[in-house]
Amino acid sequence: MSENPTDAVKFIGYIGFNNASEIHGPLQSRALDRAYVDAAARGQEEVGFDRVLIPFGSNSPESQIVAAHAAAITSKLGFLVAHRPGFTQPTLAARQLATLDQLSGGRIAVHIITGGADAEMARDGDVNTVKSERYARSDEYIDILRREWTEAQPFDHKGRFYEARGAFSSIKPDNLPVFFGGSSPEAIEVAGRHADVYALWGETLEQVRENVLAVRHAAAKHGRRPGFSLSLRPVIADTEEAAWKRAAEIEDQVRAHREAAGLPTTGHRPPNEGSLRLLQTAQGHRRDGRLWTGVAALTGAQGNSTGLVGTPEQVANAMLDYFDIGIDHFLIRGFEPLDDALLYGRELLPLVRAKVAQRVGQTAALAG
């Protein structure tokens, strides 16, 4: 944890290529809207986000190129570049990311997305692997990334998935944290070895605490202590009643779009363990008072789909509860992507930062 209380918590926003979400239709367009990317990058920098996630998908614009553009039009904002192993040689990926880190002035982090859905992987040509193999491949991939970023002399590598002779990168990153996620035992072991920050979806306090402890245990075997990021879709309003009304409206919009497209709203069978866990959580609809799972239930817990609902003060207090069990990064995005990001920056981020600084100060005083 940072010695400066104001740095004890980090906020990650989101640039999803265009200003749309589940409430605008069930099949999200991946078309690149440059005006939106520009506005989202500049706006989230202005309202105080530390980083923004640039997502990865088999039908999406390329995340590193979008990050390079957004970095060129901003000066302080950091970027969390989603990257999937298996489609680029790790030696090349290491140099690409290090180059982006250097050109941006050290504002890059990478989120390693192993991939759990067979159909998604197959679109990019990965048709013969299973999940356990993919995590083993990610493990080896990150090993090579780290060596490229740190080795002072050429090195050879011969592993299960990759072989390189005389590998060496003349460009090294100044600061390039590795984020990693996944709920399976294989994922947690890889996270323990490699993650600077372990990424979780928004689950109950009890579930998040269990995951934090499991990853800390896995990391301790390697002498490491990672940070933790929680992904949420906050719904805030001036009153609690108005916030829950807005959450219900969002559910109605998502349901109507999915039904119109002939997509299921019940009976989902997600292909990965993280989504299965989240879908089980969503059966309760509201958990821990503020955790809202309505959209997760409708969509089959596809990705970041749970939120916290209430006034800014109430949601900030709920986020502080997660901070108390180890969460030091919050990845937050809304259903009106740009407007909600600006709203969070004005109404939510300052509150959470102030509460965290107060909590850190109290802890330091008791320890001193």
Side-chain angles (χ1 to χ4, degrees):
M1 184 177 294
S2 169
E3 294 181 359
N4 184 345
T6 62
D7 293 334
V9 63
K10 301 292 186 183
F11 290 98
I12 305 171
Y14 185 80
I15 295 179
F17 309 123
N18 58 63
N19 198 26
S21 76
E22 300 91 332
I23 67 173
H24 302 107
L27 299 176
Q28 293 305 300
S29 166
R30 291 293 188 172
L32 182 62
D33 181 341
R34 178 175 171 175
Y36 161 74
V37 171
D38 290 0
R42 289 173 172 142
Q44 288 176 91
E45 177 175 65
E46 183 177 343
V47 298
F49 280 88
D50 297 287
R51 295 190 185 277
V52 289
L53 172 66
I54 312 291
F56 179 97
S58 61
N59 63 344
S60 301
E62 209 290 311
S63 56
Q64 291 183 66
I65 297 174
V66 173
H69 169 74
I73 63 170
T74 55
S75 59
K76 297 180 296 182
L77 186 67
F79 298 91
L80 179 56
V81 180
H83 177 78
R84 181 171 291 162
F87 306 104
T88 305
Q89 287 295 321
T91 50
L92 174 58
R95 298 195 304 276
Q96 290 172 332
L97 289 163
T99 302
L100 189 54
D101 171 83
Q102 289 287 309
L103 290 175
S104 68
R107 291 187 280 147
I108 301 300
V110 62
H111 193 346
I112 298 296
I113 307 293
T114 297
D118 291 344
E120 167 77 8
M121 304 299 287
R123 293 188 191 105
D124 274 332
D126 192 0
V127 296
N128 293 313
T129 58
V130 297
K131 184 172 68 172
S132 60
E133 290 178 313
R134 293 170 194 156
Y135 279 113
R137 182 173 63 188
S138 291
D139 188 20
E140 186 177 339
Y141 193 93
I142 302 171
D143 268 335
I144 299 170
L145 290 182
R146 297 280 198 195
R147 295 192 71 181
E148 283 272 318
W149 291 339
T150 58
E151 295 276 1
Q153 300 295 329
F155 65 91
D156 295 340
H157 173 90
K158 186 171 184 178
R160 177 180 173 188
F161 300 94
Y162 300 103
E163 182 173 0
R165 301 172 189 171
F168 178 73
S169 175
S170 62
I171 186 166
K172 311 292 187 186
D174 290 327
N175 175 38
L176 213 164
V178 172
F179 285 58
F180 193 88
S183 299
S184 67
E186 300 98 330
I188 288 174
E189 286 303 310
V190 176
R193 282 190 288 275
H194 295 295
D196 296 308
V197 180
Y198 176 75
L200 305 96
W201 287 338
E203 296 183 297
T204 65
L205 288 164
E206 180 181 0
Q207 290 169 321
V208 170
R209 183 184 293 108
E210 289 174 356
N211 262 348
V212 167
L213 291 175
V215 173
R216 281 182 175 165
H217 177 74
K221 293 184 290 186
H222 305 279
R224 308 183 67 254
R225 188 174 175 85
F228 292 89
S229 175
L230 190 70
S231 296
L232 295 164
R233 310 285 291 274
V235 179
I236 58 175
D238 291 339
T239 67
E240 182 175 12
E241 180 182 8
W244 282 110
K245 180 181 178 183
R246 176 57 182 149
E249 291 170 350
I250 291 169
E251 289 180 41
D252 289 343
Q253 289 172 293
V254 172
R255 183 183 296 105
H257 281 301
R258 291 186 68 86
E259 289 176 348
L263 295 175
T265 57
T266 59
H268 300 286
R269 297 180 181 275
N272 60 75
E273 189 161 333
S275 291
L276 284 169
R277 280 171 53 98
L278 203 58
L279 193 57
Q280 290 170 354
T281 300
Q283 293 175 1
H285 195 69
R286 295 189 191 184
R287 306 292 294 271
D288 294 341
R290 302 258 158 251
L291 182 64
W292 166 62
T293 62
V295 170
L298 290 168
T299 61
Q302 295 178 6
N304 179 7
S305 51
T306 58
L308 297 173
V309 178
T311 66
E313 181 79 18
Q314 290 169 330
V315 170
N317 286 334
M319 293 171 76
L320 193 66
D321 290 338
Y322 285 107
F323 175 81
D324 287 340
I325 59 173
I327 300 300
D328 53 8
H329 293 67
F330 290 96
L331 196 165
I332 58 174
R333 64 186 179 102
F335 292 89
E336 293 290 355
L338 183 53
D339 288 347
D340 285 347
L342 301 180
L343 177 65
Y344 299 151
R346 294 191 302 268
E347 302 292 336
L348 188 58
L349 270 59
L351 268 177
V352 179
R353 285 197 172 105
K355 290 176 182 293
V356 165
Q358 182 180 27
R359 183 62 52 89
V360 171
Q362 290 171 345
T363 302
L366 290 172

